[in-house]
Amino acid sequence: MPETPFVQLAELGQQLEQTSKRLELTALLADFLQGLAPEELPPAVRLTIGQVFPEWDERALNISWRAVQTVLRNLTDASPAIQEEIYRQAVDGGEAARMLLEQTRSQPIEPPPLTLLEVFHAFEALAETAGKGSQTRKEALLLGLFRRATPVEAKTLVKVISQEMRHGVNEGLMLEAIARAARVKPRLVQRANQLWGDLGEVALTALTRGENGLKQVELRLFRPLKPMLAQTATDLAEAFERHGGHLALEYKLDGARVQIHRQGDQVRIYSRQLADVTGSLPDVVAEVKEALGVEEAIVEGEALAVDQQGRPLPFQHLMRRFRRKHALAETVAEIPVQLHLFDALYLNGKTLLDFPYQDRWQALEAAAGQVKRVRRVIPTTLAEGQAFAEAAFREGHEGVMAKALDSPYTPGVRGKAWLKLKHVVTLDLVIVAADWGYGRRHGWLSNYHLATRDADTGRYLVVGKTFKGLTDPEFEAMTRRLLALEQSRRGSTVFVQPQVVVEVLFNEIQASRQYESGLALRFARIACLREDKLAVEADTLQTLRQLYEQQFDYKGRRGEG
Ligand code: ATP
């Protein structure tokens, strides 16, 4: 079978952009998948949703927008004025690349045409290019690719590089398409993806081994699972109501989530982003080896930095532990980390994901040995819950988690089963643009445009701007960081790739006509940078809409009553 030309994937992207209807999107995707050779399936599936590697894979492209622009300049002869005009008109970097090459290409497209696998291998080579002189080598590799790319292919390449596909195909839709292409039950595909965390490999199994193959998919030790996530609740009464009174409350510790895999003496620890952080937490590794009561386990918990008295320290301190791949003995001694377990996903050969929360907790109690568990209660009254939440607050913790007693563990899902209750509501938003400051902030990008992700379309929509919350050195650092992510400029505004996630405090969510999102934050200010979060994990427009509506449980709406 001849290799599939890359242009087919690029054309598919164009077709996907033309519709927002779920059925049409899945049909287009399924047809495409059915035409591929087995070895093409994993890269094709990932590239279509803007990924090159599975999430647990440590490799990353690390290609700056500047490098892309340099390559495009090499292939075109547009005057600065024309370039500026194209960047102004284009909705994103991918479109700009397509328009530039279509209108101002200075050399013919080099043969032979790119194939899908070649593009994937080129991306692998780019990710593996590191160290001294890597920027130049990366640009050379990119130039080699773009020389052979048609304008739509170049658009797709740029979209993958910037992880901004904008065609509304998210993981959920891709799962449906895989099920349709393989003629298997969507639930099986979804489950395999939860266990493996790699749509590419799931597609390969579904399309080559069908339903039987999918049924045999099992959780694998040392292959991290996506964490189960929580929705926000505004108060305990809401949590009681949503869980019908059948809930446990746990302290919500402000540390870093860790997923610990153990097989005998082998222990690996994964972060919330599925990165391997074993080297940063030698003390936790030692504790697990010595104190965990079972030989084979996948357990989850929060690693918390504490002071000499064992009181929790702000999150920034913990980040210092993660800054190095291998923590130095001094840092380990200076910033002790405590592990508090809260879930068990696998114990001695048994997968517990489908067990109700309460059974998993009991299994965890039995297996944890000397390792601490988070404090928790099963409150029988609201007052008892409130007393527990107040104790969490007094002891310096972030809030509480309210977990439905009968809920299974659903990897990667932000469902209703876990609710988080923080003392202040904050949102994690993405900086998509910034304005040059004036006066004291002259020379810095200081007014940040904060965006939420529309989970339906994947677009980032602005909900507010702020210049509050950063110190002067932080402004300077942020300016450098944003300039490296620059995509275009208009007036005094610099538009950037959506990558920097910040935690934002605010007083109220208002309806807005000014923003396309329809919502605006009142008195937004930055609480901290969320280095541990990717833009796709920022709070969604859907969450904001939900919070907006919830406000009216406590106050009146204008124009009503
Ligand atoms: P946040 O910004 O609130 O940490 P998040 O998007 O990282 O949110 P969520 O699932 O929304 O993750 O909130 C739960 C987070 O709180 C977990 O990721 C975990 O790091 C942390 N956490 C602290 N204590 C607990 C607990 N007892 N159970 C579950 N998660 C806990």
Side-chain angles (χ1 to χ4, degrees):
M1 194 154 128
E3 279 189 29
T4 302
F6 182 61
V7 73
Q8 281 190 18
L9 189 136
E11 298 288 356
L12 171 72
Q14 294 289 95
Q15 289 173 318
L16 295 170
E17 274 178 20
Q18 304 306 313
T19 174
S20 56
K21 296 201 182 96
R22 241 186 137 79
L23 268 181
E24 282 176 23
L25 289 167
T26 33
L28 281 166
L29 288 164
D31 277 354
F32 174 67
L33 296 182
Q34 279 168 340
L36 298 174
E39 67 277 16
E40 292 173 333
L41 279 164
V45 164
R46 286 190 225 113
L47 290 173
T48 306
I49 58 166
Q51 286 179 355
V52 182
F53 308 112
E55 261 171 86
W56 45 263
D57 195 316
E58 304 263 275
R59 290 173 293 176
L61 289 183
N62 289 331
I63 299 170
S64 66
W65 172 240
R66 218 162 267 200
V68 173
Q69 279 182 313
T70 308
V71 167
L72 289 172
R73 265 199 303 275
N74 246 293
L75 296 174
T76 54
D77 52 13
S79 66
I82 291 181
Q83 280 183 36
E84 173 79 6
E85 180 55 20
I86 288 180
Y87 283 120
R88 208 182 55 74
Q89 280 178 17
V91 291
D92 58 22
E95 249 319 275
R98 186 189 66 75
M99 287 161 72
L100 271 171
L101 288 177
E102 209 153 71
Q103 295 169 28
T104 68
R105 188 171 206 133
S106 54
Q107 312 143 20
I109 302 170
E110 256 181 34
L114 291 167
T115 70
L116 201 155
L117 283 178
E118 261 182 314
V119 169
F120 173 65
H121 293 314
F123 278 138
E124 277 188 316
L126 279 158
E128 278 149 25
T129 306
K132 214 167 153 246
S134 59
Q135 218 39 46
T136 322
R137 277 179 287 142
K138 279 190 171 182
E139 278 175 24
L141 279 168
L142 274 182
L143 187 60
L145 264 183
F146 278 81
R147 270 191 214 287
R148 291 170 54 196
T150 65
V152 269
E153 286 178 316
K155 169 175 168 175
T156 311
L157 293 174
V158 173
K159 280 174 173 274
V160 172
I161 291 169
S162 60
Q163 295 183 340
E164 236 196 313
M165 300 312 283
R166 278 181 186 255
H167 51 34
V169 178
N170 53 20
E171 202 177 282
L173 214 122
M174 183 55 93
L175 286 171
E176 280 175 33
I178 294 170
R180 182 175 168 141
R183 300 195 180 85
V184 295
K185 293 196 190 81
R187 224 196 60 76
L188 286 175
V189 179
Q190 205 177 1
R191 175 155 184 87
N193 186 48
Q194 287 183 345
L195 294 173
W196 281 355
D198 177 7
L199 277 174
E201 212 182 333
V202 171
L204 178 64
T205 305
L207 276 111
T208 55
R209 299 180 43 223
E211 215 151 292
N212 277 339
L214 289 173
K215 280 185 184 151
Q216 283 161 25
V217 168
E218 256 312 325
L219 194 148
R220 296 172 181 165
L221 270 166
F222 306 108
R223 171 71 80 81
L225 283 92
K226 284 192 200 176
M228 172 162 176
L229 298 170
Q231 292 185 0
T232 301
T234 37
D235 63 16
L236 267 184
E238 181 191 330
F240 265 72
E241 195 187 311
R242 286 173 72 179
H243 291 329
H246 300 291
L247 75 168
L249 295 178
E250 296 174 4
Y251 278 11
K252 183 175 192 312
L253 309 177
D254 191 13
R257 186 166 186 164
V258 286
Q259 193 182 105
I260 301 170
H261 292 224
R262 175 194 197 179
Q263 191 165 42
D265 258 358
Q266 224 190 325
V267 173
R268 308 241 45 109
I269 305 180
Y270 303 95
S271 72
R272 186 184 176 292
Q273 313 300 351
L274 315 188
D276 189 331
V277 292
T278 315
S280 314
L281 299 168
D283 38 353
V284 177
V285 172
E287 183 184 352
V288 169
K289 280 189 196 165
E290 273 160 36
L292 196 73
V294 283
E295 287 293 301
E296 260 199 11
I298 301 178
V299 287
E300 252 198 331
E302 194 81 354
L304 187 68
V306 291
D307 67 8
Q308 302 302 338
Q309 282 79 45
R311 285 176 309 208
L313 287 173
F315 186 67
Q316 284 91 315
H317 296 275
L318 185 67
M319 280 296 110
R320 286 180 49 207
R321 284 289 298 271
F322 285 105
R323 234 168 257 156
R324 284 172 177 271
K325 266 218 154 228
H326 294 282
L328 301 172
E330 301 97 86
T331 334
V332 174
E334 191 195 336
I335 313 164
V337 164
Q338 274 183 2
L339 172 64
H340 299 257
L341 296 176
F342 56 71
D343 219 318
L345 316 184
Y346 171 92
L347 293 171
N348 284 340
K350 199 168 200 174
T351 301
L352 307 177
L353 298 183
D354 292 332
F355 284 40
Y357 159 83
Q358 177 59 2
D359 294 2
R360 295 200 311 280
W361 181 272
Q362 277 163 1
L364 176 70
E365 292 253 271
Q370 300 305 308
V371 183
K372 281 189 270 305
R373 274 81 71 202
V374 292
R375 283 209 50 200
R376 76 155 210 167
V377 286
I378 297 182
T380 44
T381 60
L382 188 57
E384 200 185 325
Q386 251 137 9
F388 183 79
E390 272 155 35
F393 181 57
R394 273 200 313 276
E395 288 170 36
H397 302 297
E398 201 182 11
V400 290
M401 302 286 299
K403 300 185 177 176
L405 290 177
D406 56 2
S407 57
Y409 190 97
T410 48
V413 178
R414 196 181 284 286
K416 291 191 273 260
W418 286 13
L419 300 174
K420 56 180 166 185
L421 290 119
K422 295 195 203 176
H423 296 287
V424 238
V425 179
T426 59
L427 289 168
D428 293 329
L429 299 174
V430 185
I431 298 180
V432 291
D435 304 328
W436 288 111
Y438 43 82
R440 204 175 60 76
R441 288 188 294 273
H442 178 79
W444 296 336
L445 285 172
S446 60
N447 193 27
Y448 306 113
H449 301 213
L450 307 165
T452 176
R453 195 172 61 86
D454 181 344
D456 292 333
T457 62
R459 291 174 61 214
Y460 291 91
L461 300 176
V462 174
V463 290
K465 295 180 190 169
T466 190
F467 50 81
K468 295 206 177 89
L470 298 190
T471 60
D472 288 3
E474 287 173 330
F475 273 128
E476 267 190 88
M478 183 65 92
T479 303
R480 279 197 301 275
R481 186 146 170 215
L482 292 179
L483 285 176
L485 297 173
E486 179 178 341
Q487 284 191 317
S488 61
R489 288 187 189 208
R490 208 173 306 153
S492 61
T493 305
V494 175
F495 295 86
V496 299
Q497 285 179 46
Q499 277 193 13
V500 180
V501 182
V502 286
E503 187 170 332
V504 176
L505 293 154
F506 61 95
N507 285 29
E508 203 180 31
I509 305 179
Q510 302 173 313
S512 160
R513 285 209 194 131
Q514 183 195 347
Y515 295 132
E516 199 195 328
S517 63
L519 297 174
L521 298 182
R522 184 153 174 254
F523 300 132
R525 57 231 182 251
I526 294 175
C528 65
L529 286 173
R530 286 298 306 253
E531 302 290 3
D532 60 323
K533 275 205 170 178
L534 299 176
V536 289
E537 292 166 330
D539 282 299
T540 60
L541 179 62
Q542 287 68 21
T543 299
L544 261 78
R545 284 189 184 138
Q546 187 198 343
L547 289 172
Y548 173 73
E549 286 302 321
Q550 279 168 13
Q551 302 178 128
F552 300 107
D553 293 343
Y554 308 96
K555 55 183 164 202
R557 260 183 229 258
R558 262 188 70 189
E560 279 179 22

